[in-house]
Structures are given as C-alpha cells and as structure tokens.
Amino acid sequence: MRWLVILLGGLALAQAVATPGWVRLVPPVVKDTTAYLTLENRGKTPLRLVGGETEVAERVSIHVDYRETRGGQVVLGMRPLAYLDIPPGGRVEFRPGKYHLMLEGLKRPLKAGEKVTLVLKFQDGGRLKVILPVEMR
C-alpha cells in the first residue's frame, strides 16, 4: 500500500500517517462533498484531530454518520464532531457510513480525477497535508 502524506510541524509530524483516500464527486450544483481516508497514530500519545482546510471549500469539518430508531422508523443522518481522538498505535477509518470529512461550501465544481489537497489540523498545532483524488463511487 502506498502512503501519500506530507507532514507539517507539531507533534503530529512524528505520529500521524494517512493512507490514500478519495473525495466524492458530486454534481456541479451540490456545494458540499465528503473525503475519506484512514489516519494512523504511530506515536505513544493520543492525537486529537480538530479539523482541516482546503483551497476548494470554505470549511473542512469532521462528521460521523448515525442510524437510530425513532418511533419505529429508522432514521439516518450525520452529526458534526468538534474533534476526533486517535489513540496511540490506533487508527481511524473515514469511510461511507462512518466518519468522514465534510468539504463544505465548495468554491467550484470538482472534476473526476483531479487532486484535492487537504491540510488536517491537530490540537497540538500539527498539520498533515494529504492529496486525494476526486472519484465517483
């Protein structure tokens, strides 16, 4: 498996590794999309992911999908998270139906095959730059 990651400062520099992931291709009129990857903490202390940034969207936030029963009906949705902890030696999968990064307020339509650069931000000030392809899945 190839690892595509550029590390930028802070404790995350020595600890965080991201596996290649992808950004969901959405129709041009849709202003939000999702990004998926796996983050691994190779360090001995917890990492706290607190958000991110990208040039293609106004905001990058962490969300989790949920499924619950209300009044006998199954309700699906998603909730924003202020942060996400990655334990020492642990990993967190961002995948459909679980955690994902929301790219909110797209500044332009994305194209299949283009590369999107995300900079993930950690509480300790560390930053992790990842480059993800836009794909229709």
Side-chain angles (χ1 to χ4, degrees), residues 4-86:
L4 179 59
V5 63
I6 300 168
L7 302 165
L8 306 168
L11 183 58
L13 176 70
Q15 290 187 201
V17 176
T19 61
W22 55 285
V23 173
R24 185 181 301 276
L25 179 66
V26 293
V29 296
V30 176
K31 296 300 180 191
D32 301 328
T33 191
T34 52
Y36 304 102
L37 53 92
T38 299
L39 283 177
E40 183 178 340
N41 180 353
R42 293 188 175 175
K44 295 185 187 320
T45 59
L47 281 175
R48 177 167 282 182
L49 179 67
V50 294
E53 60 188 30
T54 180
E55 291 182 1
V56 302
E58 294 174 13
R59 288 172 305 286
V60 175
S61 58
I62 307 162
H63 283 71
V64 65
D65 290 338
Y66 69 87
R67 178 186 190 120
E68 58 188 45
T69 303
R70 293 186 199 154
Q73 299 292 321
V74 174
V75 177
L76 303 175
M78 65 178 162
R79 291 187 182 98
L81 300 173
Y83 60 86
L84 186 59
D85 288 328
I86 307 167

